[in-house]
Amino acid sequence: MSDLHTTTENVLIDERVRGFPPGHPPLSLAAIGKQGWKPYDGRMALPLISLDRQAFADNAELMMIYVKSHGAEIAPHAKTVMSTVLSDALVAAGAWGTTVADIRQAAVLLKAGQRRLILANEIGGAAAARRLAALLGQYPDAELHVFVDSMALLEALSSAWQGRGDLPPLGLMVEFGAGRAGIRSADAAAKLLDTILAMETPAFRLTGIAAYEGAAATADPEETMLRIDALMAMTSDFLPKLRARIGNQRPLLVTSGGSVFFDIVVARLSAVVAADPACRLVLRSGAIFFHDHGIYERGLAGLDARGGLRIGGEMISAAAGFRPALRVWAEVLSRPEPQLAISGMGMRDVAMDQGMPRPLAVYRNGARLADLESAKVLRLNDQHAFLALADDSDVSVGDVIEFGISHPCTCLDRHAILYGLDPDHSVTAAYLTSFG
């Protein structure tokens, strides 16, 4: 256990953090999981966000089985939850490493004890390269692979690493792209490759190819498939050309794959990677382990429409196999009209960029009262959610509403603590997040 984990386990949490009961003496993270609290029993301050621990574990198990069955690896994207404990759990479950989006996130994971990271983003210019060097100078045993799509970044990184014998080797990954960062043509990639190979040292060298297919998505499903196929074709076509330049012995990585189109990545890249014995395919899916009641629910329905998860020659439904693990809980504050309820949850508590939260169930006096299948969130204010209800809906002031969310990545970053629930909804763990 790293110093950071030891430290965070002993951090005292109080009512400054969502969920913690006002007036209760401060508690350590470990002690929070021993109080027997439930989000709807009246003791915890609402709103709060929770993690179904069993759903998270089951999602991790299924994803690891899928990845291994295709001879691939996975480095889950830590930006989704930014919890070092949960990132460690995924590595313990079989992940090859961890993905981060920027230098600060890399610092959090390195300080927590992780050493194999993919920095899946362009980091900036000379100042960013110096910041990255300053960070890695503290971790000589780190293995970091960083995306590069420009001569400017390559030269900045080379300058920052030049003459620094205290730095660990830096892996450079040529990034292809569509819709976001990344090289747009094979010719441009070849020119960047020439420059990388001319600059190489034992501590500064090419380690693979990268892409992100999710940024190629559009509102048109057919156009999306065409754009992703083109990106995957460009990526796969470049691998044998790269291999011909560097010889057969050097290990290489090919990395792509978010949480919606990872099946396409596997289908398009597995063959070319398998033909190269010194190469491995690494997915970077992160939100899949948390799932949701919105964008990823729709994404997995689309995956099933494409044929589902292929594991051991059999088709498995992704929509049935993965379960949403996140919930937001809030009290009903007002019933000002027969078909309207206002709950104490707003834009400061839950995401809305990929769809409104979904009311799932109502609780009263510490017990589940009913499902809320017909209820709908109409809009959010800073602190309020406006719920449309049926005329005969039995929802009262003081009831607690359980909400599903859409898009974990823009919901979790609003919360300093993620409360882990067992199947009976008791809080049995508390996970500190590190969104800064």
Side-chain angles (χ1 to χ4, degrees):
M1 188 70 71
S2 72
D3 290 342
L4 181 64
H5 285 88
T6 302
T7 301
T8 56
E9 282 296 316
N10 295 324
V11 167
L12 291 180
I13 305 300
D14 59 24
E15 55 267 269
R16 289 173 291 181
V17 174
R18 286 184 181 92
F20 196 90
H24 195 290
L27 294 172
S28 68
L29 289 175
I32 286 174
K34 299 176 182 178
Q35 304 304 307
W37 298 338
K38 297 178 187 290
Y40 49 84
D41 69 4
R43 289 183 286 177
M44 302 187 76
L46 301 181
L48 64 82
I49 191 168
S50 69
L51 174 75
D52 182 329
R53 298 179 70 189
Q54 189 60 56
F56 175 78
D58 291 346
N59 292 344
E61 180 180 17
L62 177 57
M63 192 62 180
M64 297 303 171
I65 290 172
Y66 171 79
V67 169
K68 301 297 183 182
S69 74
H70 288 276
E73 303 282 357
I74 189 167
H77 211 315
K79 73 177 178 64
T80 301
V81 70
M82 280 307 294
S83 163
T84 57
V85 173
L86 294 176
S87 291
D88 282 350
L90 293 175
V91 172
W96 173 85
T98 302
T99 297
V100 293
D102 56 33
I103 296 170
R104 189 198 70 83
Q105 291 179 11
V108 171
L109 271 294
L110 288 167
K111 190 170 184 179
Q114 292 205 26
R115 291 297 179 264
R116 178 181 282 162
L117 302 176
I118 296 175
L119 204 168
N121 209 351
E122 302 297 320
I123 63 168
R130 291 192 294 270
R131 293 196 301 272
L132 182 61
L135 170 65
L136 292 180
Q138 303 175 49
Y139 301 99
D141 57 341
E143 176 185 339
L144 183 84
H145 306 268
V146 62
F147 288 12
V148 179
D149 74 351
S150 70
M151 297 295 183
L153 176 56
L154 179 61
E155 292 168 358
L157 289 168
S158 177
S159 177
W161 254 253
Q162 192 169 10
R164 291 287 302 270
D166 60 323
L167 297 181
L170 182 66
L172 307 172
M173 308 195 77
V174 175
E175 182 189 6
F176 289 96
R180 202 168 70 182
I183 292 171
R184 299 303 202 256
S185 72
D187 288 343
K191 292 178 182 178
L192 186 63
L193 175 61
D194 288 342
T195 306
I196 292 174
L197 296 180
M199 290 181 170
E200 278 195 330
T201 70
F204 188 80
R205 64 196 323 233
L206 181 83
T207 54
I209 309 169
Y212 174 53
E213 76 292 344
T218 71
D220 182 342
E222 292 186 8
E223 177 67 17
T224 293
M225 289 302 108
L226 289 173
R227 287 164 60 86
I228 292 176
D229 282 342
L231 178 61
M232 293 297 99
M234 188 163 51
T235 304
S236 61
D237 290 347
F238 194 69
L239 178 58
K241 297 174 183 177
L242 189 160
R243 178 57 77 190
R245 293 289 307 277
I246 64 174
N248 295 326
Q249 300 304 312
R250 183 188 303 190
L252 288 175
L253 305 175
V254 174
T255 180
S256 190
S259 294
V260 175
F261 302 107
F262 60 85
D263 60 313
I264 299 176
V265 170
V266 169
R268 302 294 187 271
L269 298 183
S270 287
V272 69
V273 171
D276 186 331
C279 186
R280 70 175 74 214
L281 175 62
V282 182
L283 303 183
R284 303 193 307 275
S285 316
I288 190 69
F289 299 100
F290 302 91
H291 196 9
D292 69 6
H293 287 88
I295 181 175
Y296 291 108
E297 181 181 64
R298 297 188 294 272
L300 293 188
L303 192 159
D304 282 348
R306 297 190 295 268
L309 295 173
R310 299 285 177 175
I311 300 177
E314 296 184 7
M315 191 280 282
I316 296 175
S317 168
F322 293 102
R323 292 187 290 138
L326 298 172
R327 304 288 191 275
V328 171
W329 306 79
E331 288 168 298
V332 176
L333 307 182
S334 177
R335 283 295 311 269
E337 301 169 13
Q339 294 181 316
L340 179 66
I342 300 175
S343 75
M345 173 194 73
M347 291 183 287
R348 294 182 174 184
D349 312 297
V350 70
M352 59 178 290
D353 61 308
Q354 297 291 345
M356 290 292 184
R358 183 184 303 172
L360 300 176
V362 58
Y363 295 76
R364 182 176 297 164
N365 298 325
R368 186 185 182 101
L369 181 65
D371 292 339
L372 284 178
E373 296 178 357
S374 62
K376 181 180 180 180
V377 174
L378 300 173
R379 66 184 188 277
L380 300 175
N381 289 162
D382 288 359
Q383 311 277 177
H384 301 95
F386 296 77
L387 281 71
L389 301 173
D391 283 330
D392 60 350
S393 179
D394 184 15
V395 172
S396 299
V397 171
D399 289 347
V400 175
I401 307 295
E402 174 188 7
F403 293 90
I405 62 102
S406 181
H407 202 189
C409 302
T410 55
C411 183
L412 284 160
D413 62 359
R414 291 160 165 80
H415 299 269
I417 296 286
L418 176 61
Y419 294 94
L421 306 185
D422 270 9
D424 70 349
H425 289 140
S426 294
V427 174
T428 53
Y431 307 105
L432 195 66
T433 62
S434 299
F435 288 103

